[in-house]
Each structure stands twice: as C-alpha cells, then as structure tokens.
Amino acid sequence: MHFDLDAGQRELQSALTRFCHDLFPVAVARESGEKGLDRGLWRRLADMGVFALALPDSDGGAGLTVVEQVLAFEVLGAGLVPGPIVGSTLAAGLVEGASTGDVVVAAVTATDGPVLVPGLRDADWLLVLHDDRVELVEAAGIHGDLVSRPLDPTSPLTRLDAIPSGEVLLLGAASDALCRTASLLTSAALLGIARRTTELATDYAKTREQYGRTIGSFQAIKHMLADMLALAEVASASVHAAGVMLADTSAEAERAVAGARVLAGKAALHNAATNVQIHGGMGFTWELDAHLYLKRARLLSVSHGNVDAAAETVATQLRGALQ
Amino acid sequence: MELKDSEADAQFRKELRVWLADVVPSLPSPPDPRDRWASRRFDETWQRLQYDAGYAGIAWPKAHGGRGATPTEHLIFLEELARADAPDVGCGFVGQGHAGPTLIAEGSDEQRAEHLPGILDGTKVWCQGFSEPGAGSDLAGLRTRAVRDGDEYVVTGQKIWTSFAQVADYCELLVRTDPDAPKHKGITWLILPMSSPGIEVRELVTLQGEAEFAETYLDEVRVPVANRVGEENDGWRVAMVTLSFERGTAFVPEMLESLRLVEDLARLSERLRRGRGPAWEDAGIRRELGTVAAELDALWALTKRNVTRGESGTVPIVGGSSFKLYYADVRHRLGDLAMRVLDQAGLVLEDLPDLTVGRHVEGSLHAFAVSIAAGSSQVQRNILAERVLGLPKER
C-alpha cells in the first residue's frame, strides 16, 4: 500500500496548475460563456495532454490511468476551466480528433425531465450516456435552444426536446466503465472547487479587516474555514481512492465512485457557498468570482449523477455486500 | 498511488488471519464490563496470547521488545483484528498506546527495563493522570502540585477521566513542579505506583450509565524522584511526545467498528417498520445510510493516506485533525440515524428479544466521547485554522 501521490503525479498537478493559472484565468471562463469557446486555447489544453492521459502511447496518449485523469480534473475543476472537458476526455480514442482538440465533444447522461446539455453550443459531437450503452450524435444535427440565462454563466446550456439518438459506440461493461469514469472525473472537478474555494476564503479572511482585526482572527470565521478544509481533505481521500479502485477494476469500484460523488458533491457545494458567505457583501456581486464557483459546483453536482442518487447507490451496495 | 498490499504485507496479513482464526474462537466470553477485575483478567489473557504469538507491542521498536511493524503493518493488524471480531485492547490501552511509547522515547534504561515487559505481556495496567477538573482542553493549566522533599516528590491534587484507575498498577502523572514559571514550563512527568499511600479513586459514571472513568484524588502522595521521566519542568514536552501517539491510529479500531454498526443498521432497517413499510423502504433513511457509509469509507481511505504519509516521517496535522473532526461528526449523524431507524426500540440501552439494538443506542451516546475526548471538535478546528491554514492565533 502506498496511498499518496507519487512524484510524477505531484508534478502532473503542479504543471497543470501553472498552465491553468497562465492560460485559463477565470476571465477566460467568463468570456467563454459569453462569446464561445476559444478553439485555440482548447488545442493548447489538448497539447498539455489532458484529454489523452489514459490513451496508450501508441495512440498519442500518455499511457496513464484514470488515477492521473482524476488528479488532472481536480486541477481543471479548481481553475474553472471552460468547455466540455469531461466529454472530450471520454471521447479520446473513440472519436477522431477529440484527443488532439481538433474536435470538441460534449457529453450528457440521459435522464428523465428537461434535457439540458452543457457545452453543446461549442461542440462538434455529443456523447449520450445511457444505463446500458453509449451513443454518439453529430452536434450539427441536433435541434435545440440555447438557454439565455444559464445558472452557470461560464457554461453554455442547450435545451433539447428529447434525448437525441445516434450511433451506438459502446455496450455492456465498456459502457458501464465509461459512465463510471464520467461520474468520477466530474467528482474530481467538484473536489477541485472544494479545495480552491477553501484557499480563496482563507486568503480573504487573512486580509479583510473589520472591527480593527482581520476577520480570520474571529473564531466564527476560523471554524468555518476549518470545516471547509476538513471537508475537502476527506473528499480528496474518497475521490483518489475511487480512482485507484476504478483503475484496478476492483469489485468495490461502484460503491467507491458513488461514495466519491457524495463526498465531493457535499464538499464543493458547502465550500463554494461558504466562500460566498465569508466574502460578505462583495461575495454577492457579479464582479467577484465567488458566485462562479458556487454555480459551477451546482452544475457539476447534477452532471453524470447527483449526490442523492449516489447515496442510494452506496446504500444498495452496502446491502448487497451483506447478503 | 496504490491501495493493494505489497507482497510482504499480503504475507503478514495471511499469517495474521490464520492465527486469528485459530485463537479468537478459543477465547472465553468477555465478562460484564462493570466487573472491572474480571475485565482486567480477560484483557490480560488476550494480551498474553498476542505476546506469545509475537504481536504484542506491534508498533514498538524491536530493541524494546516490540514487533517493529511498519505503520502499514500496524494498520493491517488493526484491520484484521476488527475483521476477526477480536477483543479490543481494553485496560492495556494507556500502557501500550501512551505510557510505553513515552518510556521508549524519554525514559531511562532502568525505567524501561522495569516497566516495558509488564506492559507487553499484559501483567501491568496503567492509567493516565493528565486532565484535571480545571484543566481539560487547556491541559497545560493543570494544578496538581509536586513539592520536592529530598529524593521524593510530595504530590497533592485531583485528576479526572483516569480510565482504568480502579485496576491500574501505575499512573502516568503530570504534576506542577514550578508554579511561578509560564504554564508550559513548570510541568513534570512522573510514574506513580497506584499502591502508594494517599491515593483515593472514585468511580465517575458517564452519561452512558457506566463507570468507565474515575476521579483520582492525591493527598501528599510520595513519589521517588527516580520515577521522573525526563527533566524536572520538562514534562510538557514529554507529554506532547505521548499525545503525538494518540492522534495516529488511535481511532482506527472504533472507526472500523462504526462501519460494522452502519452495516448492522442497514440489516435492522429491513426488519424494523417505519410507517407502512420497513425502514429500508424510506428513501430518506436509505440515503442517510448510504451517506454515512460513504463517509466512513472516505475516512478509511484518509487513514490509509495518513499512515502512508506517516511512513516517510511527516506528521500529517491536516490529515489527523481532519479525520478527528469529520469522524466525530459522522459518529453523531450515525447515532441520530440509528435512533430514527430504531424509533421506539431506541428507548432502551439493552437488547430487546430478537433485536440487538443496545449497541446502537450506546453508540448514539458514545458519539459525544468522540467529539469531546482527545481534542474536542472545537480544539481540532482551532488546530486546522491556525496550524494548517495559518490564521491568527486565538491569543
């Protein structure tokens, strides 16, 4: 057992963190939401190897596993990187040009209720994840309306009348594995938000002064920050463990992936909301980024699963393990 | 990042499983915990079996009679004991987890030779005399006085939460030797033989209705200076060495027990009715069961990361305090969930015919011990905020 990042994994995260800091400041996410995805930047993201991490070397990938994908998505989530990053990562190796960033692939999990697809506006293809299969649909043939006021202004949302059907790409175990990866990479991005909002709130609490003291010296604020830290820390153990179990095709992977959504979803929503609260009046403004983390967390927390359904899955697995 | 056992660890686990499968069924049934002396005899029997099999002092260095297991092996040991439903450490807790490691780190050769063997083979029981009625979270505020008189200290004061004091042979005792020095600089660590004249132990009944703790009154108790561990007035540092052992794997056995509690609760939820159907059919109950199970799984993963980081010598404050804070919260929610599932069956602290509910009701009360003992949740938040996030100190 060695349950911690190795040197290569740390380097992957720090290189990607620098990359996001330099090329994807939050202003880029805002602009992407308003004006459309910058395809040049998207190719730079592909050049970093983000989409092809788990592809074999022979296919131009890095030959790594879902563990490294999880670590990468933690960083991308923290950076509010725009665009359908989960879809294009799932599509690498399945859809020509996805891994190199030449085509953009969005993904949606088919559910009942209104069909709202993030990232479809900017995509060439759409992956549709069903319970038993994965289908691929050409975006140009899908008729939908762009939502004028999406909750997350950095993620364009298209409303469809129905889930579109297309070519069946995967069935059975391969389809299940893709759905689990979609869920876990989304959870990893949620974890990134949980961590980043803890840092932002802490930094603000160290500089903002009221009553002649930095607000971070008040126990009421300190304890909120400590709770954020603990939530993110425990969630990271859960998400990373699920990555290892998924890579090992462990029998417990389904419970672990669902558990990761419960932990990361709770941590991201709680921490993003607390970050707004700690920023006070400024946190309530459009100008400050605090609301963007909360809104992205809301979007991700219902993408490729949700916390309630994940909790049900864990409960069902728990009962199954007892029989 | 890797969760699987190495080849050597897999071998260690396999041998341990074989031994446990053989020895655990051979143990006598545990006595009524209210019978302290019978419990002590039971714990000694179990410790002696571990000693004979080479598992005593699992994490202690070989040079001091331990097994010298790696932190990972230690974790496997605790995991397999829980899996085999083996007894817990019982009254050996303070000796094996605190006093022994402190003597190894700070004791003299004579002190080690006199005390370590009895801790390892289970024949000697220790208790902890740290907290006082006026010194809880602020432990350094302790006031039990020790006045030097020739080659003895004369000790007067009162200690509280001294678990096992009723049956202990020794007490690891913190006393104030310099009342004028700053509070951290006037404390000394002593080995107190519990047979010394002037000691009175009074049982302290907890909200669980059991005399798990005791108060220990010291009235001019004479302790030889030779029983001092470390220098006079350097006891705070010595005590911190002890406390550092308390935050590593100390909660692993009961965390694994919590996982079994949630499993048992899932089983019970299929038998107990709630409204028109079994409690399991209630989506709110089911989700909370799933949530608590996911959180305990996550804490188990965090433990593995903490242990991995501990292998390379880094003390994981963020991991340790996050674990303690989050675990306490999960224990409270598990207790609340149990009470919802049990409904009126949760009104008794004992099992009902055909329904083993006592452990869940006990567990709902035990949650307070988790969020108060070994650094309360409020203290853990201060630690995380000040020592990890770098926020200004309280004072």
Coordinates of all heavy atoms in Angstrom, one line a residue, chain B residues 303-356:
Chain B
T303 N -7.4 7.5 6.4 CA -6.5 6.8 7.3 C -5.3 6.2 6.6 O -4.2 6.3 7.0 CB -7.2 5.7 8.1 OG1 -8.3 6.3 8.8 CG2 -6.3 5.0 9.1
K304 N -5.6 5.6 5.5 CA -4.5 4.9 4.7 C -3.6 6.0 4.2 O -2.4 5.8 4.1 CB -5.1 4.1 3.5 CG -5.8 2.9 4.0 CD -6.5 2.1 2.9 CE -7.2 0.9 3.5 NZ -8.0 0.2 2.5
R305 N -4.1 7.1 3.8 CA -3.2 8.2 3.3 C -2.4 8.8 4.5 O -1.2 9.0 4.4 CB -4.0 9.3 2.7 CG -3.1 10.3 2.0 CD -3.8 11.2 1.0 NE -4.6 12.2 1.7 CZ -5.6 12.8 1.1 NH1 -5.9 12.7 -0.1 NH2 -6.3 13.7 1.8
N306 N -3.0 8.9 5.6 CA -2.3 9.4 6.8 C -1.1 8.4 7.2 O 0.0 8.9 7.5 CB -3.2 9.6 8.0 CG -4.1 10.8 7.8 OD1 -3.9 11.6 7.0 ND2 -5.2 10.8 8.7
V307 N -1.5 7.1 7.1 CA -0.5 6.1 7.5 C 0.7 6.1 6.5 O 1.8 6.1 6.8 CB -1.1 4.8 7.6 CG1 -0.1 3.6 7.6 CG2 -2.0 4.7 8.9
T308 N 0.3 6.3 5.2 CA 1.3 6.3 4.1 C 2.3 7.5 4.4 O 3.5 7.4 4.3 CB 0.7 6.4 2.8 OG1 -0.1 5.3 2.5 CG2 1.7 6.6 1.7
R309 N 1.7 8.7 4.7 CA 2.5 9.9 4.9 C 3.3 9.7 6.2 O 4.4 10.2 6.3 CB 1.6 11.1 5.0 CG 1.0 11.4 3.6 CD 0.3 12.7 3.6 NE -0.2 12.9 2.2 CZ -1.1 13.8 1.8 NH1 -1.7 14.6 2.7 NH2 -1.4 13.9 0.5
G310 N 2.8 9.0 7.2 CA 3.5 8.8 8.4 C 4.7 7.9 8.2 O 5.7 8.0 8.9
E311 N 4.7 7.0 7.2 CA 5.8 6.1 6.9 C 7.0 6.9 6.6 O 8.1 6.6 6.9 CB 5.5 5.2 5.7 CG 4.3 4.3 5.9 CD 4.7 2.9 6.0 OE1 5.9 2.6 6.3 OE2 3.8 2.0 5.9
S312 N 6.8 8.1 5.9 CA 8.0 8.8 5.5 C 8.3 9.9 6.5 O 9.1 10.8 6.3 CB 7.8 9.4 4.1 OG 6.6 10.0 4.0
G313 N 7.7 9.8 7.7 CA 8.1 10.7 8.8 C 7.4 12.0 8.9 O 7.6 12.7 9.9
T314 N 6.5 12.4 8.0 CA 5.8 13.6 8.1 C 4.6 13.4 9.0 O 3.8 12.5 8.8 CB 5.3 14.1 6.7 OG1 6.2 13.6 5.7 CG2 5.1 15.6 6.6
V315 N 4.5 14.3 10.0 CA 3.3 14.2 10.8 C 2.1 14.9 10.1 O 2.2 16.1 9.9 CB 3.5 14.9 12.2 CG1 2.3 14.8 13.1 CG2 4.8 14.3 12.8
P316 N 1.1 14.2 9.7 CA 0.0 14.8 9.0 C -1.0 15.5 9.9 O -2.0 14.9 10.2 CB -0.6 13.7 8.2 CG -0.3 12.5 9.1 CD 0.8 12.8 10.0
I317 N -0.7 16.8 10.2 CA -1.7 17.5 11.1 C -3.0 17.7 10.4 O -4.1 17.4 10.9 CB -1.2 18.9 11.4 CG1 0.1 18.9 12.2 CG2 -2.2 19.7 12.2 CD1 0.7 20.2 12.5
V318 N -2.9 18.0 9.1 CA -4.2 18.3 8.3 C -5.0 17.0 8.2 O -6.2 16.9 8.5 CB -3.9 18.9 6.9 CG1 -3.0 17.9 6.0 CG2 -5.2 19.2 6.2
G319 N -4.3 15.8 8.0 CA -5.0 14.6 7.9 C -5.5 14.1 9.3 O -6.6 13.7 9.4
G320 N -4.7 14.3 10.3 CA -5.1 13.8 11.6 C -6.2 14.6 12.2 O -7.2 14.0 12.6
S321 N -6.1 15.9 12.1 CA -7.2 16.7 12.7 C -8.5 16.7 11.8 O -9.6 16.7 12.3 CB -6.8 18.2 12.9 OG -5.9 18.2 14.0
S322 N -8.3 16.6 10.5 CA -9.5 16.5 9.6 C -10.2 15.2 9.9 O -11.4 15.1 10.0 CB -9.1 16.5 8.1 OG -8.6 17.7 7.8
F323 N -9.4 14.1 10.1 CA -10.0 12.8 10.5 C -10.8 12.9 11.7 O -12.0 12.5 11.8 CB -8.9 11.7 10.6 CG -9.5 10.4 11.1 CD1 -9.9 9.5 10.1 CD2 -9.7 10.1 12.4 CE1 -10.5 8.3 10.5 CE2 -10.3 8.9 12.8 CZ -10.7 8.0 11.8
K324 N -10.2 13.4 12.8 CA -10.9 13.5 14.1 C -12.1 14.3 14.0 O -13.2 13.9 14.6 CB -9.9 14.1 15.1 CG -10.4 14.3 16.5 CD -10.7 13.0 17.2 CE -11.0 13.2 18.7 NZ -12.0 14.1 19.1
L325 N -12.0 15.5 13.4 CA -13.2 16.4 13.3 C -14.3 15.8 12.5 O -15.5 15.8 13.0 CB -12.7 17.7 12.6 CG -13.8 18.8 12.4 CD1 -14.4 19.2 13.7 CD2 -13.2 20.0 11.7
Y326 N -14.0 15.2 11.4 CA -15.0 14.7 10.5 C -15.6 13.4 11.1 O -16.8 13.1 11.0 CB -14.4 14.4 9.1 CG -15.4 14.4 8.0 CD1 -15.4 15.3 6.9 CD2 -16.5 13.4 7.9 CE1 -16.3 15.3 5.9 CE2 -17.4 13.4 6.9 CZ -17.3 14.4 5.9 OH -18.2 14.4 4.8
Y327 N -14.7 12.6 11.7 CA -15.2 11.3 12.3 C -16.2 11.6 13.4 O -17.2 10.9 13.5 CB -14.0 10.5 12.8 CG -14.5 9.2 13.5 CD1 -15.2 8.3 12.8 CD2 -14.1 9.0 14.8 CE1 -15.7 7.1 13.5 CE2 -14.6 7.9 15.5 CZ -15.4 6.9 14.8 OH -15.8 5.8 15.5
A328 N -15.9 12.6 14.2 CA -16.8 12.9 15.3 C -18.2 13.3 14.8 O -19.2 12.9 15.3 CB -16.2 14.0 16.2
D329 N -18.2 14.1 13.7 CA -19.4 14.5 13.1 C -20.2 13.3 12.5 O -21.4 13.2 12.7 CB -19.1 15.5 12.0 CG -20.3 16.1 11.4 OD1 -21.2 16.5 12.1 OD2 -20.4 16.1 10.1
V330 N -19.5 12.4 11.9 CA -20.1 11.2 11.3 C -20.7 10.3 12.4 O -21.8 9.8 12.3 CB -19.2 10.4 10.4 CG1 -19.8 9.0 10.0 CG2 -18.7 11.1 9.2
R331 N -20.0 10.2 13.5 CA -20.5 9.4 14.6 C -21.8 10.0 15.2 O -22.7 9.2 15.5 CB -19.5 9.3 15.8 CG -18.5 8.2 15.6 CD -19.1 6.8 15.4 NE -19.9 6.3 16.5 CZ -19.6 5.2 17.2 NH1 -18.6 4.5 16.9 NH2 -20.5 4.8 18.1
H332 N -21.9 11.3 15.3 CA -23.1 11.9 15.8 C -24.3 11.6 14.8 O -25.4 11.3 15.2 CB -22.9 13.4 16.0 CG -22.3 13.7 17.3 ND1 -23.0 13.7 18.5 CD2 -21.1 14.1 17.6 CE1 -22.2 14.1 19.5 NE2 -21.0 14.3 19.0
R333 N -24.0 11.8 13.5 CA -25.0 11.5 12.5 C -25.4 10.1 12.4 O -26.6 9.7 12.2 CB -24.6 12.1 11.1 CG -24.8 13.6 11.1 CD -24.6 14.3 9.8 NE -23.2 14.3 9.5 CZ -22.6 13.6 8.5 NH1 -23.3 12.8 7.8 NH2 -21.3 13.7 8.3
L334 N -24.4 9.2 12.6 CA -24.8 7.7 12.7 C -25.7 7.4 13.9 O -26.6 6.7 13.7 CB -23.5 6.9 12.8 CG -23.6 5.4 13.0 CD1 -24.4 4.8 11.9 CD2 -22.2 4.7 13.0
G335 N -25.4 8.1 15.0 CA -26.2 7.9 16.2 C -27.6 8.4 16.0 O -28.6 7.7 16.3
D336 N -27.7 9.6 15.3 CA -29.0 10.1 15.1 C -29.8 9.2 14.1 O -31.0 9.0 14.3 CB -28.9 11.5 14.5 CG -28.4 12.6 15.5 OD1 -28.4 12.3 16.7 OD2 -27.9 13.6 15.1
L337 N -29.1 8.7 13.1 CA -29.8 7.9 12.1 C -30.2 6.6 12.8 O -31.4 6.1 12.5 CB -28.8 7.5 11.0 CG -29.2 6.5 10.0 CD1 -30.4 7.0 9.2 CD2 -28.1 6.2 9.0
A338 N -29.4 6.0 13.7 CA -29.8 4.8 14.4 C -31.1 5.0 15.2 O -32.0 4.2 15.1 CB -28.7 4.4 15.3
M339 N -31.1 6.2 15.8 CA -32.3 6.5 16.6 C -33.6 6.6 15.7 O -34.7 6.3 16.1 CB -32.1 7.7 17.5 CG -31.0 7.6 18.5 SD -31.1 6.1 19.5 CE -32.1 6.7 20.9
R340 N -33.4 7.2 14.5 CA -34.5 7.3 13.6 C -35.0 5.9 13.1 O -36.2 5.6 13.1 CB -34.1 8.1 12.4 CG -34.1 9.6 12.7 CD -33.4 10.4 11.5 NE -34.1 10.3 10.3 CZ -33.5 10.6 9.1 NH1 -32.3 10.9 9.0 NH2 -34.2 10.5 8.0
V341 N -34.0 5.0 12.8 CA -34.3 3.7 12.3 C -35.0 2.9 13.5 O -36.0 2.2 13.2 CB -33.1 2.9 11.8 CG1 -33.4 1.5 11.6 CG2 -32.5 3.6 10.6
L342 N -34.4 3.0 14.7 CA -35.0 2.2 15.8 C -36.3 2.7 16.3 O -37.1 1.9 16.8 CB -34.0 2.2 16.9 CG -32.6 1.6 16.7 CD1 -31.8 1.6 17.9 CD2 -32.7 0.2 16.1
D343 N -36.6 4.0 16.1 CA -37.8 4.5 16.6 C -38.0 4.2 18.1 O -37.0 4.4 18.8 CB -39.0 4.0 15.7 CG -40.2 5.0 15.8 OD1 -40.2 6.0 15.1 OD2 -41.1 4.7 16.7
Q344 N -39.1 3.6 18.5 CA -39.2 3.3 19.9 C -38.3 2.3 20.5 O -38.0 2.2 21.7 CB -40.7 3.0 20.2 CG -41.6 4.2 20.0 CD -43.0 4.1 20.6 OE1 -43.3 3.1 21.1 NE2 -43.7 5.2 20.6
A345 N -37.8 1.4 19.6 CA -36.8 0.4 20.0 C -35.5 1.1 20.5 O -34.6 0.4 21.1 CB -36.5 -0.6 18.9
G346 N -35.4 2.4 20.2 CA -34.2 3.1 20.6 C -34.3 3.7 22.0 O -33.5 4.4 22.5
L347 N -35.4 3.3 22.7 CA -35.6 3.9 24.1 C -35.0 3.0 25.1 O -35.2 3.3 26.3 CB -37.1 4.1 24.3 CG -37.7 5.1 23.3 CD1 -39.2 5.2 23.6 CD2 -37.1 6.5 23.5
V348 N -34.2 2.0 24.8 CA -33.6 1.1 25.8 C -32.1 0.9 25.5 O -31.7 0.9 24.3 CB -34.3 -0.3 25.7 CG1 -35.7 -0.3 26.3 CG2 -34.2 -0.9 24.3
L349 N -31.4 0.9 26.6 CA -29.9 0.7 26.5 C -29.5 -0.8 26.5 O -28.4 -1.1 26.9 CB -29.2 1.5 27.6 CG -29.0 3.0 27.2 CD1 -28.8 3.8 28.5 CD2 -27.8 3.2 26.3
E350 N -30.5 -1.6 26.2 CA -30.1 -3.1 26.2 C -30.8 -3.7 25.1 O -31.7 -3.1 24.4 CB -30.6 -3.7 27.6 CG -32.1 -3.5 27.7 CD -32.6 -3.6 29.2 OE1 -31.8 -3.3 30.1 OE2 -33.7 -3.9 29.4
D351 N -30.5 -5.0 24.7 CA -31.1 -5.6 23.6 C -32.5 -6.0 23.9 O -32.9 -6.3 25.1 CB -30.3 -6.9 23.2 CG -29.0 -6.4 22.6 OD1 -28.9 -5.3 22.1 OD2 -28.0 -7.3 22.6
L352 N -33.4 -6.0 22.9 CA -34.7 -6.5 23.0 C -34.8 -7.9 22.5 O -33.9 -8.3 21.7 CB -35.7 -5.6 22.2 CG -35.8 -4.1 22.7 CD1 -36.5 -3.2 21.7 CD2 -36.5 -4.1 24.1
P353 N -35.9 -8.6 22.8 CA -36.0 -10.0 22.3 C -35.8 -10.0 20.8 O -36.6 -9.2 20.1 CB -37.4 -10.5 22.8 CG -37.7 -9.6 23.9 CD -37.0 -8.3 23.7
D354 N -34.9 -10.7 20.3 CA -34.7 -10.9 18.8 C -34.2 -9.6 18.1 O -34.2 -9.6 16.9 CB -36.1 -11.2 18.2 CG -36.1 -12.5 17.4 OD1 -35.0 -13.2 17.6 OD2 -37.0 -12.7 16.6
L355 N -33.8 -8.6 18.9 CA -33.5 -7.3 18.3 C -32.2 -6.8 19.0 O -32.4 -6.3 20.2 CB -34.7 -6.4 18.4 CG -35.1 -5.5 17.2 CD1 -35.1 -6.2 15.9 CD2 -36.4 -4.9 17.5
T356 N -31.1 -6.9 18.4 CA -29.9 -6.4 19.1 C -29.7 -4.9 18.8 O -29.1 -4.4 17.8 CB -28.6 -7.1 18.6 OG1 -28.6 -7.1 17.2 CG2 -28.6 -8.5 19.1

